[in-house]
Amino acid sequence: KAGVTQTPRYLIKTRGQQVTLSCSPISGHRSVSWYQQTPGQGLQFLFEYFSETQRNKGNFPGRFSGRQFSNSRSEMNVSTLELGDSALYLCASSLVWASGSPDEQFFGPGTRLTVL
Amino acid sequence: LAKTTQPISMDSYEGQEVNITCSHNNIATNDYITWYQQFPSQGPRFIIQGYKTKVTNEVASLFIPADRKSSTLSLPRVSLSDTAVYYCLVGDSFQKLVFGTGTRLLVSP
């Protein structure tokens, strides 16, 4: 079974631009989450989508948004880029078991975004 | 959200057993303890998860004392390829799992 894929793997943008990142989850996984990882802040939860609906959201400004399509693929958009948005953006997918324990997250390789 | 405290870094040699302890004094009744491993330029990978006592799988063991205020990830006979960052997370759903900065394990020959 193929893993989580993310495109592009590397991206360079300038301040003020916007960017769209794409994530394809593992087949059968309906939950997709996005994370931002920086050396200073570590790995932080951005938001989670399930059945095309944003189900949970982290503490990030409205410039960060996302969506999920009917095939569970997800995109994340960052508008009006700032230098501080330079980071590794990770996507993770999971089955939703509702077992009472946290579902195992399967992470993709990430997209390295550099804002100049 | 339950806060966790773990060592910033640890050093070991090939073939040794490594134990990484995580402190989570304000763990809630419904919280589980989950460990992830991350290699450079890769996304984290699930290692093990437990609620109480001991859990063992093919790569690690997780020891949780009765009061659940701490836990220990045990990696038997580490190899160079175990050099990575290890994250201890506590929560009842993955949305509440805070990754923090983890423990950077360096395994030397």
Side-chain angles (χ1 to χ4, degrees):
Chain A
K1 185 181 279 190
V4 177
T5 58
Q6 293 186 244
T7 57
R9 292 293 311 278
Y10 302 91
L11 205 51
I12 299 175
K13 292 285 188 178
T14 56
R15 281 184 301 172
Q17 287 187 310
Q18 75 164 18
V19 66
T20 299
L21 312 181
S22 180
C23 171
S24 292
I26 291 173
S27 177
H29 287 192
R30 295 169 61 193
S31 171
V32 174
S33 298
W34 289 88
Y35 296 80
Q36 180 196 66
Q37 186 169 35
T38 59
Q41 298 295 321
L43 208 156
Q44 296 181 285
F45 173 73
L46 279 157
F47 32 65
E48 182 227 358
Y49 284 86
F50 180 78
S51 293
E52 303 178 62
T53 301
Q54 188 181 89
R55 194 164 64 164
N56 293 280
K57 189 176 189 303
N59 190 27
F60 277 81
R63 299 186 297 107
F64 293 82
S65 63
R67 60 177 175 170
Q68 186 181 35
F69 302 96
S70 58
N71 61 358
S72 292
R73 189 177 70 85
S74 177
E75 288 182 347
M76 190 193 92
N77 184 275
V78 187
S79 62
T80 319
L81 284 166
E82 301 177 359
L83 295 179
D85 296 332
S86 294
L88 179 67
Y89 289 89
L90 292 158
C91 164
S93 73
S94 67
L95 287 168
V96 180
W97 292 105
S99 63
S101 62
D103 301 313
E104 178 179 346
Q105 298 291 297
F106 293 83
F107 284 83
T111 294
R112 173 75 62 185
L113 172 65
T114 301
V115 182
L116 303 176
Chain B
L1 299 177
K3 180 178 169 59
T4 62
T5 303
Q6 53 183 124
I8 294 174
S9 64
M10 293 182 69
D11 295 320
S12 184
Y13 293 96
E14 281 189 295
Q16 289 190 332
E17 177 184 75
V18 171
N19 296 306
I20 306 174
T21 297
C22 179
S23 172
H24 28 82
N25 290 317
N26 60 341
I27 188 170
T29 302
N30 296 331
D31 287 345
Y32 282 73
I33 300 152
T34 310
W35 286 80
Y36 278 80
Q37 172 193 57
Q38 185 176 25
F39 299 111
S41 300
Q42 293 186 28
R45 184 174 69 108
F46 175 92
I47 302 175
I48 198 166
Q49 181 180 90
Y51 184 79
K52 61 181 179 180
T53 63
K54 176 184 174 182
V55 180
T56 297
N57 61 22
E58 62 276 9
V59 299
S61 294
L62 178 59
F63 299 91
I64 305 169
D67 66 5
R68 303 201 326 124
K69 293 184 182 300
S70 67
S71 59
T72 299
L73 173 72
S74 181
L75 304 172
R77 297 180 298 282
V78 295
S79 64
L80 297 178
S81 63
D82 292 316
T83 293
V85 178
Y86 293 82
Y87 297 96
C88 166
L89 307 103
V90 172
D92 62 0
S93 63
F94 74 84
Q95 297 88 347
K96 297 179 183 177
L97 300 183
V98 178
F99 274 79
T101 53
T103 296
R104 192 171 298 274
L105 173 66
L106 175 62
V107 180
S108 301

